[in-house]
Amino acid sequence: MRDSVEMIIAAVLLGTTATSAMAFQSGRDPAYQTARESGLVGEKSDGYLGFVVPPSSAVRALVEDINIKRKAVYSKEALANGATVEEMALRTGCRLIAERTVAGEKYQTPSGAWKTRDDSPPQLDARCPQ
């Protein structure tokens, strides 16, 4: 099953301009959405995506690209707010886990274990703002 999901992700990565336009409008890259829904990747409290299982090269490239973009945003926000990049990343990671993960998606608990989000509140890092 994982191989077929990764093949779909690779095909989406090589998709047409129309697919890219739809992804832009919906807010999430289809390959990213598929990787999240399939449990291949999940949110970490440090503000970056992590690999729940060893990734294919396509999934690795996708996540690395997203994490590079996230770090650029955190750097800009840190500079504007007199904070460190790590502080901005943690704040965002906490918010992403609490507000943006949905039932069935993976997130990393403070102990480092991967958990599937359900209807209950997620386990957040003690350093997360209340």
Side-chain angles (χ1 to χ4, degrees), residues 64-116:
E64 287 174 354
D65 181 60
I66 290 169
N67 283 342
I68 288 168
K69 290 175 181 171
R70 285 185 178 189
K71 186 168 187 172
V73 170
Y74 301 152
S75 297
K76 185 177 179 180
E77 289 176 353
L79 186 61
N81 292 294
T84 67
V85 173
E86 292 76 18
E87 288 169 332
M88 295 309 297
L90 177 71
R91 288 181 201 163
T92 303
C94 294
R95 193 179 80 246
L96 288 171
I97 290 171
E99 299 173 10
R100 295 283 181 103
T101 57
V102 297
E105 293 182 340
K106 300 283 189 180
Y107 72 95
Q108 197 171 42
T109 66
S111 70
W114 288 103
K115 184 170 180 170
T116 302

